[in-house]
Amino acid sequence: MSAVLLSTSPLQAAYDQQVFMRGVRPMGMGGAFVALSDDQNAIFYNPAGLTQRQGSQFTLIELPLNISDDVLQFYNFYNDNKDSLKDFDNLSDDRKIDLLNQINDNVIKYRPNLRLGLPNTSFLSGAGFISWGFGIFNQEDIGFKFNRSLIVPSISFWGNADAVAAVPLAHRFDALPFVPGKLSVGTTLKYIARAKIEELNKSVLEFEDFAPQLQYGKGFGFDLGTIYQPSDRWNVGMQVTDVGGTKMTYEAIETSEKGKVNKPSYNGACPVALSFTATVHYSGKGMIRYTWVNSDGGSNGTLSKQLSGTGTDVLPSHVWQLGRSLSGSASLKILSPVQVQSTPANFVVNCGAARGTGGK
């Protein structure tokens, strides 16, 4: 049995995925832009490049779009097999094995990713003692993939919608001690507002009533960049993105989803072992304390788990041995750092007249 439970994410800070806006011009150059940056893309590729401008620049609208090659490959596979994936539990064993082999041998290699920049606006100053600018940028970044599986196919996916206010500053040293050439240094200060979803190892059997959780967060980050020009014909650039990590603070989320049991009924010999699993979603790192609560009043005591920091962890299975017929439920109760309990996952066990000696 699989219980889909409530997810709680307390208000806390976490180092999050980088914010990096990929402009049209750098993408056309294969990303080789760090040493050449001299337009609005310098804000994210290398702010030191602002010193290479001869005049000011105002960009009203830019709409960058980046679609990975794997998107089409993934779409073709899904389109050819969508009915089988939706009805996987009812497929023949041979068809299940064939579909899992396709996923494990080929599809897990795909990394479909889609990035779309909404209208981005920016201004860059001309040459001066301090070169500066500002910009408002928006970007949607979505990715997903199938996971290797032996039983039921599962998908991991993630998505960010970022709004960024950025202020780049740069200065050029026209004379250097001991070495020839010029050196430019720059930084970009960023305020980020983000809405994100993330689900790891989501079974295809859970997608019918699936409602992904949306988290809202905000934070600050900054980049550093340099460009060394030993001569007018040579540029050597270096960029460090999100120095020290982008520290995001997310709003508290407390949402519960309807408990779901893939096979809620059992008819046969008893005793029987019922197995419940649960996935917790969170931000940050730390340890949680929890317990499983059975509808007959039983419990497996207080347990603990060190969170991995990935945002989603699967807890060890809870096994309930039943030797009698029962219509009941089990639920997960988080004890700390917050107290919250899932919607119960219901089941019905009907023991046959002849009792077996082993679980099933």
Side-chain angles (χ1 to χ4, degrees), residues 145-182:
K145 69 181 182 71
F146 269 101
N147 304 303
R148 187 177 297 277
S149 176
L150 297 177
I151 302 176
V152 179
S154 66
I155 297 177
S156 295
F157 65 91
W158 53 93
N160 293 333
D162 293 324
V164 182
V167 177
L169 302 168
H171 175 71
R172 184 171 65 193
F173 298 92
D174 292 321
L176 300 173
F178 310 116
V179 294
K182 305 171 184 178

Side-chain angles (χ1 to χ4, degrees), residues 14 226 242 303:
T226 64
D242 284 342
L303 305 172

